[in-house]
Amino acid sequence: MAASDQTLVCVKQVKQEVVDEWDESMPLPGDIIEGFSEYDADDDSFLLVKTSSELSTQLGKINSRVEFIWIKVKRGDSILKLQTRIAQQKGKGSILHRKYTIQAATDHRHVADLGDLTLKQCTELQGVFNCQGAGSWPLKSLETPPTHLTISGKVRPHDVEFLEEVAGENWNGDCIVYAFNAGLLSKLPSRGKLEVSLETLQCEIYTVSPIRKLIHNASERDRRKKINALYSSLRSLLPVADQMVLNTLSTPSLFGMDILVKFLNATTSRN
């Protein structure tokens, strides 16, 4: 078996979900359990364990005679000795084959779920735990301050794929560029550019929208003139009092024309 495939006894998760109440004296996700001692924290008294089932069996044997035990864990590059209690895993194992685990000495809710994982899996668990902000020991030392970098670049509407197809034939190349986080609006030509500078862990979302001027051709203007003429003709057929009702129809759209025709039919029927 390759070294990378060898498994270790590891804390897969903790059943106490209030992360803010965890501390470094408790078993935490990614901790590698190397051994335990029922006497004291002296190195010579620790018994090595290779599998989680072996540890469960050993804990079951001493459960009736000890209240606290010491465990030796590897956390990142550090070796720690933690005082814990033995806890029976609820719902796991029969009466004859009960399974045991460990819980924090200071909080009975903080029960560790143990498993046999590779070193890579244990390291990844520690990394995820650190990213959540609950741990104070990173995989790399905090003594070195994080490096802050500034990245500069350009945003160009011309680089947006299919922008010309979306804009259509009447587009003159002008665009609006909106920076979402900064709340800034800029007008650029198609081949113009917007300077961008971002620091480490900073992001920005840019929305590029083409500016299009609507131009009506001769056939469209002729169609509108015919609708206006028809609208005026139908309106003149109504009594003056009923014409006042239609003042809200300021533009002779097709929807407005339909209302006018129905109103005219109703008025004619009434008379």
Side-chain angles (χ1 to χ4, degrees):
M1 180 183 295
S4 59
D5 296 330
Q6 293 180 349
T7 59
L8 306 165
V9 183
C10 181
V11 179
K12 296 192 297 183
Q13 62 181 355
V14 176
K15 296 181 180 179
Q16 213 291 62
E17 298 180 355
V18 185
V19 180
D20 291 341
E21 297 181 8
W22 299 2
D23 62 56
E24 295 185 26
S25 67
M26 301 175 174
L28 298 173
D31 281 355
I32 299 172
I33 300 179
E34 297 185 340
F36 74 96
S37 171
E38 59 179 298
Y39 302 110
D40 52 43
D42 184 67
D43 285 333
D44 295 334
S45 64
F46 279 89
L47 298 177
L48 299 180
V49 291
K50 295 182 178 180
T51 65
S52 58
S53 59
E54 176 188 353
L55 177 58
S56 174
T57 301
Q58 294 294 338
L59 295 179
K61 292 179 180 179
I62 63 175
N63 179 46
S64 59
R65 66 173 185 264
V66 296
E67 181 178 4
F68 297 99
I69 64 169
W70 290 89
I71 60 171
K72 182 189 292 185
V73 302
K74 183 176 182 181
R75 184 179 292 169
D77 295 329
S78 303
I79 300 296
L80 304 176
K81 297 170 184 177
L82 309 178
Q83 190 176 43
T84 61
R85 296 175 184 267
I86 300 175
Q88 182 180 341
Q89 289 184 283
K90 296 180 180 180
K92 292 190 176 183
S94 62
I95 297 177
L96 296 178
H97 299 87
R98 293 175 177 173
K99 294 187 176 182
Y100 294 87
T101 182
I102 53 176
Q103 67 182 28
T106 56
D107 190 344
H108 69 279
R109 301 170 301 168
H110 194 96
V111 180
D113 184 10
L114 306 178
D116 300 319
L117 305 179
T118 63
L119 177 61
K120 179 181 178 181
Q121 291 172 324
C122 297
T123 304
E124 288 174 350
L125 278 175
Q126 291 184 13
V128 171
F129 179 63
N130 293 336
C131 288
Q132 292 173 343
S136 60
W137 62 96
L139 300 182
K140 294 183 179 180
S141 176
L142 282 178
E143 296 177 357
T144 304
T147 304
H148 291 279
L149 300 175
T150 299
I151 302 175
S152 299
K154 301 177 181 65
V155 173
R156 299 184 297 185
H158 182 70
D159 294 334
V160 179
E161 193 173 8
F162 303 121
L163 184 63
E164 294 183 2
E165 287 82 349
V166 172
E169 297 179 356
N170 299 325
W171 183 46
N172 64 0
D174 290 342
C175 292
I176 288 293
V177 179
Y178 177 65
F180 181 81
N181 291 329
L184 299 178
L185 199 64
S186 305
K187 180 180 178 181
L188 294 175
S190 172
R191 295 188 179 276
K193 59 186 178 182
L194 181 67
E195 299 291 338
V196 177
S197 293
L198 298 175
E199 295 184 357
T200 305
L201 299 181
Q202 185 181 11
C203 69
E204 184 57 273
I205 301 172
Y206 291 95
T207 301
V208 179
S209 178
I211 302 174
R212 180 181 176 187
K213 182 179 179 180
L214 297 178
I215 302 176
H216 299 301
N217 54 30
S219 61
E220 174 65 16
R221 290 194 295 270
D222 184 60
R223 186 184 70 85
R224 288 176 174 267
K225 286 181 180 179
K226 291 180 180 179
I227 292 178
N228 286 337
L230 180 59
Y231 181 83
S232 299
S233 298
L234 292 174
R235 186 183 181 92
S236 64
L237 297 176
L238 294 173
V240 177
D242 290 333
Q243 289 185 27
M244 301 299 294
V245 179
L246 298 178
N247 282 338
T248 54
L249 297 176
S250 58
T251 56
S253 64
L254 293 179
F255 178 68
M257 185 67 68
D258 183 59
I259 295 177
L260 179 58
V261 172
K262 290 181 180 178
F263 187 81
L264 178 63
N265 290 336
T267 304
T268 305
S269 301
R270 197 168 59 243
N271 295 334

